Amino acid sequence: MGNGDKNDEESSKKYGVPLYGAAWAPLAAGDSDSTASSKVNGHVVLAGGGGEGRSGIPNALLVSAFDFDSNFLSDQPVAKLGTGSDLPYRIAVHPGGEGVICSLPKSCRWYEWEENTNEDKHSLSLKSSDKVLQQLEDVGQQLAMTFNHEGNLLAVGGEDGKLRIYKWPSMETTLDESSGHSSVKDLDFSPDGMFLVSVGSGPGRIWNATSSTSIASLPKENDEVFGFCRFSRGTDADQVLYVTAMRDKGGSIVKWNTSSWKRMGSRHVVRDPVSAFNVSPDGKLLAVGTIQGDILILSSTSMQVQTIVKKAHLGLVTALAFSQDSRALISASLDSSARVTLIKDKKKKGLNLWIILFVIVLAVAVYYYAKNKGHLL
């Protein structure tokens, strides 16, 4: 565990505005030919700014390019879209490549991808859309937003505790619930889109996204405060739900069974409060960001820490997102920096170690065999 390669400096860039949201552009964004994914796989969208004050810090959505081969995040955003006096707080990227929804202080706005090709260079930008989300006008600050895997459901959770699910793109309301939490902190759909988990004040809640009913409660133990929630990814039948919990001794991750909704166990992972959390698309890794700017990458099965990047940021980590192929992790911070951390291949290292051990054992065996044979002669 440690701070990684010397290239890590190049994968961290300051963009001049405190950042609150971060996500990868989907493979097909801005490109009708989704097979050309290598061209667009390296774009990230960031959201942030200075808010309403006269700080001189603008509010904007930024698009930056990332080169996987050189582990290089662009020095400057390849595109910037101002949001006036409205601070863009949370973003959710549509998995089908249609665009990005962004929560502003009083409403949510929809933006569309735009493809730019100039002198053989390919980049993406965002543009304001003609599609106005009437149902999300004047609804107050939304603290959590997520699409389901298919991209046909959108869930939003507000500072006022209201939880809403809409069909996408029709924006037909399927759930409008105000009694789940006094404030909603985080949301996530199960991989099959059947369930939605919400955490905030009080216990966690499980909702049936089809029948739009609450089907289970996730009780807290002792002095726990739930922070973030993610269903496991991948296609295995043994799906679990992860919920981060803060206690007096620090941040823990709690595992829940997704059939019985019973607690399976928890593991204390960090002393500092957890400020961001996510699960890799292949389901193998968990990522934790802290208020001290540290990033931890853990195995999803053992919940053992595999990598720690100390002081990845100088301010608290506000957002974490894995790339679609689970090869990289984008993180954003209030210190105005964005960073891409490449995922090391632990399996390969482990395999090499086993080969070395096998060769040593084989050499010892051959030595003793030859020695004994000589002794017998």
Side-chain angles (χ1 to χ4, degrees):
M1 296 187 296
N3 290 343
D5 303 328
K6 63 183 177 68
N7 272 354
D8 278 351
E9 272 187 40
E10 291 188 321
S11 67
S12 181
K13 290 289 154 55
K14 290 257 188 172
Y15 289 130
V17 298
L19 298 171
Y20 294 90
W24 293 86
L27 301 183
D31 198 326
S32 57
D33 179 11
S34 60
T35 59
S37 61
S38 60
K39 292 195 296 182
V40 296
N41 196 11
H43 283 83
V44 295
V45 57
L46 306 162
E52 287 186 71
R54 298 179 181 176
S55 62
I57 300 172
N59 299 303
L61 292 172
L62 313 176
V63 181
S64 290
F66 179 71
D67 187 299
F68 277 96
D69 293 331
S70 61
N71 186 20
F72 188 84
L73 191 61
S74 57
D75 293 323
Q76 299 294 327
V78 295
K80 182 184 290 189
L81 182 61
T83 57
S85 61
D86 293 329
L87 173 69
Y89 182 63
R90 289 285 182 253
I91 51 176
V93 173
H94 189 274
E98 293 179 22
V100 177
I101 187 171
C102 177
S103 74
L104 304 170
K106 295 176 183 175
S107 62
C108 295
R109 203 170 293 164
W110 176 247
Y111 299 92
E112 294 172 1
W113 294 108
E114 195 166 40
E115 186 181 7
N116 310 297
T117 304
N118 182 26
E119 296 177 3
D120 296 327
K121 289 183 180 178
H122 179 95
S123 66
L124 290 175
S125 60
L126 286 169
K127 62 179 180 179
S128 296
S129 173
D130 294 334
K131 181 183 176 69
V132 177
L133 306 176
Q134 295 286 358
Q135 296 82 346
L136 292 174
E137 290 285 306
D138 299 314
V139 292
Q141 180 74 70
Q142 300 304 296
L143 302 181
M145 300 185 302
T146 185
F147 286 100
N148 67 346
H149 180 71
E150 297 298 321
N152 57 12
L153 290 176
L154 167 69
V156 298
E159 198 171 34
D160 60 0
K162 274 218 171 192
L163 172 64
R164 299 172 173 90
I165 301 178
Y166 300 98
K167 289 182 180 178
W168 186 267
S170 70
M171 290 298 289
E172 176 190 337
T173 304
T174 64
L175 176 71
D176 191 336
E177 179 63 56
S178 57
S179 62
H181 309 274
S182 59
S183 181
V184 179
K185 175 92 187 274
D186 200 20
L187 298 167
D188 194 40
F189 280 103
S190 59
D192 60 8
M194 189 178 295
F195 304 111
L196 178 77
V197 58
S198 63
V199 295
S201 56
R205 301 287 294 272
I206 303 296
W207 308 84
N208 185 309
T210 306
S211 63
S212 301
T213 54
S214 174
I215 59 168
S217 179
L218 308 176
K220 299 189 288 185
E221 288 185 357
N222 303 319
D223 58 345
E224 286 178 337
V225 176
F226 290 160
F228 301 95
C229 52
R230 288 292 182 275
F231 282 95
S232 59
R233 302 298 186 228
T235 55
D236 55 39
D238 300 323
Q239 289 289 325
V240 296
L241 169 64
Y242 303 100
V243 177
T244 65
M246 190 64 196
R247 300 182 66 174
D248 56 0
K249 63 179 181 179
S252 298
I253 300 175
V254 185
K255 263 187 183 181
W256 304 79
N257 182 294
T258 56
S259 298
S260 64
W261 305 112
K262 300 291 186 189
R263 185 184 289 240
M264 299 167 63
S266 67
R267 180 179 287 274
H268 175 255
V269 293
V270 66
R271 176 67 193 165
D272 300 313
V274 174
S275 56
F277 178 68
N278 221 325
V279 177
S280 62
D282 64 9
K284 295 177 181 178
L285 300 170
L286 310 177
V288 168
T290 76
I291 64 167
Q292 297 297 328
D294 300 338
I295 293 173
L296 296 84
I297 298 172
L298 305 88
S299 160
S300 62
T301 49
S302 66
M303 289 203 283
Q304 295 279 3
V305 177
Q306 290 189 355
T307 304
I308 297 178
V309 185
K310 282 281 186 186
K311 296 295 179 187
H313 300 275
L314 298 178
L316 70 86
V317 181
T318 49
L320 291 167
F322 284 93
S323 58
Q324 288 90 340
D325 57 9
S326 304
R327 287 170 54 201
L329 178 74
I330 179 77
S331 54
S333 170
L334 288 184
D335 72 354
S336 303
S337 70
R339 176 194 178 96
V340 177
T341 302
L342 293 183
I343 307 302
K344 306 294 187 293
D345 190 347
K346 300 292 178 185
K347 278 188 178 178
K348 197 177 286 183
K349 290 182 182 177
L351 184 64
N352 291 342
L353 181 62
W354 281 114
I355 291 172
I356 292 166
L357 286 172
F358 177 73
V359 170
I360 291 170
V361 170
L362 190 64
V364 170
V366 168
Y367 169 76
Y368 278 107
Y369 175 75
K371 187 178 178 182
N372 290 337
K373 193 173 179 184
H375 177 71
L376 291 170
L377 290 172

